[in-house]
Amino acid sequence: MGMSSDNINGLILAVSSSVFIGSSFIIKKKGLMKAGNSGVRAGSGGHSYLAEPWWWAGMIAMIVGEIANFAAYAFASAILVTPLGALSIIFSAVLAHFILKEKLHIFGVLGCVLCVVGSTTIVLHAPRERDIESVKQVWQLATEPGFLVYAGIVTVMVLVLIFYYVPRYGRSHMIVYIGVCSLMGSITVMSVKAVSIALKLSFEGNNQFKYFQAWFFTIIVIVCCLLQINYLNKALDTFNTAVVSPVYYVMFTSFTILASMIMFKEWDSQNGSQIATEGCGFITILAGTFLLHKTRDMGSTPAVPLSPHELSRCCSPKSSIPVQTT
């Protein structure tokens, strides 16, 4: 049986979203590099990139991609749309290799593949969301004890990362910047869900913005997005784009699924097979992330020739290294 017209439209929008989002990483990276040559780098706390046209072009590409992604959900199911977000990782890595000359080692490629496979496995086997018909219903779910505890833990972790780990380890450990973006991203998505419902119902004639809950979720979206953009810029300016993209995708997807399960109590519809498959997906993600971290600098550092003293030690009779003579 062929795909329905709605699924085809959703597929086209989802693929287009991945192309725009993947290219936005590279375009923004070029803007950050140019801005860093003439001012304080974003990784050092500078904001000179705001005057750089390349960075704004990247932001526009990202916004267009996100709009296409939201629109795709109007035509096709999340099971079809969400995994296609992994295409942005591949597209970004390929562009980084050819445009930014950022070499990705073969084991880094394997790590990227593992991240995509693991994330796709989790997304494909994640339970469906319940139907939401009003912004008040989302507010009721968001104020239940389970999600309040999750939101509190996320807030504390983000504050600790920003005020303790970022000044000390931000420029040497990519996971610090990406952690801030991913943790806040899970809250952003839950708020975006509420705002999108409010907009949809308002367009249908049932104004939801007369309730303070809709404006509260809107403010959360704006604040979280600004925070994510700031620290994503720092990550892109400091680390290899081909590594930032998949790690960010993996962590963002994982935390978003976790937040969605807690808020919408979607574990009620899962069986043992689904839970086991998701566990395998997480293990695959961890393996891919490990490979990406360990191989991010492979192939970029030239070999250092041995000094005469070291060469004499290697070639001495006491050395355990065999010396081939010609």
Side-chain angles (χ1 to χ4, degrees):
M1 180 181 295
M3 294 180 65
S4 66
S5 60
D6 281 348
N7 278 348
I8 292 175
N9 291 333
L11 176 63
I12 293 173
L13 286 167
V15 172
S16 300
S17 170
S18 295
V19 171
F20 278 108
I21 293 175
S23 61
S24 73
F25 279 100
I26 308 306
I27 299 172
K28 287 171 66 178
K29 177 78 171 184
K30 285 185 68 70
L32 290 168
M33 292 170 63
K34 293 186 67 175
N37 293 332
S38 58
V40 181
R41 294 170 62 92
S44 300
H47 296 86
S48 57
Y49 60 84
L50 293 175
E52 178 55 51
W54 276 99
W55 185 86
W56 284 108
M59 276 301 301
I60 293 173
M62 178 171 284
I63 292 171
V64 171
E66 293 295 347
I67 292 174
N69 189 51
F70 287 136
Y73 285 100
F75 293 96
S77 67
I79 292 180
L80 172 65
V81 176
T82 307
L84 293 178
L87 295 177
S88 64
I89 300 173
I90 301 172
F91 194 76
S92 178
V94 171
L95 285 181
H97 178 77
F98 289 104
I99 296 178
L100 300 181
K101 309 302 180 184
E102 294 182 353
K103 184 175 178 59
L104 186 63
H105 192 269
I106 183 63
F107 290 108
V109 174
L110 177 60
C112 183
V113 171
L114 288 174
C115 287
V116 172
V117 171
S119 297
T120 303
T121 300
I122 293 175
V123 171
L124 286 176
H125 292 84
R128 293 178 178 272
E129 293 182 352
R130 66 172 68 182
D131 293 331
I132 305 296
E133 300 178 352
S134 71
V135 71
K136 283 188 172 182
Q137 187 176 352
V138 181
W139 177 263
Q140 181 179 359
L141 294 171
T143 53
E144 290 186 355
F147 189 74
L148 287 178
V149 170
Y150 174 80
I153 293 174
V154 167
T155 301
V156 171
M157 290 179 66
V158 168
L159 291 175
V160 171
L161 285 173
I162 291 175
F163 293 108
Y164 181 81
Y165 286 97
V166 166
R168 293 170 175 81
Y169 308 108
R171 293 185 61 81
S172 59
H173 294 76
M174 177 184 61
I175 203 71
V176 175
Y177 290 147
I178 300 300
V180 175
C181 296
S182 302
L183 287 167
M184 294 307 299
S186 65
I187 303 297
T188 303
V189 172
M190 299 302 102
S191 300
V192 165
K193 177 71 174 177
V195 175
S196 63
I197 290 173
L199 287 171
K200 178 183 177 182
L201 294 175
S202 296
F203 287 139
E204 293 175 352
N206 183 10
N207 183 19
Q208 297 292 300
F209 287 92
K210 62 185 178 182
Y211 306 117
F212 81 92
Q213 291 94 335
W215 293 106
F216 178 84
F217 285 122
T218 301
I219 293 173
I220 294 296
V221 169
I222 294 172
V223 172
C224 291
C225 284
L226 291 176
L227 193 64
Q228 286 178 254
I229 291 171
N230 182 44
Y231 285 95
L232 183 58
N233 284 334
K234 292 178 183 292
L236 289 172
D237 190 48
T238 308
F239 302 100
N240 192 311
T241 307
V243 180
V244 171
S245 300
V247 174
Y248 175 61
Y249 171 79
V250 166
M251 293 185 64
F252 172 77
T253 302
S254 300
F255 282 121
T256 298
I257 291 176
L258 177 61
S260 182
M261 291 179 66
I262 293 174
M263 183 169 175
F264 297 105
K265 298 179 175 60
E266 294 165 333
W267 61 75
D268 293 339
S269 62
Q270 287 193 298
N271 54 41
S273 176
Q274 289 175 309
I275 296 173
T277 303
E278 290 176 8
C280 292
F282 272 112
I283 294 174
T284 305
I285 287 173
L286 292 176
T289 304
F290 176 80
L291 277 178
L292 284 167
H293 274 288
K294 289 298 181 183
T295 62
R296 64 183 179 184
D297 295 323
M298 281 189 176
S300 60
T301 304
V304 179
L306 294 175
S307 65
H309 176 66
E310 293 171 325
L311 185 60
S312 65
R313 288 180 60 190
C314 291
C315 299
S316 65
K318 296 181 179 179
S319 175
S320 61
I321 302 176
V323 180
Q324 181 178 0
T325 59
T326 55

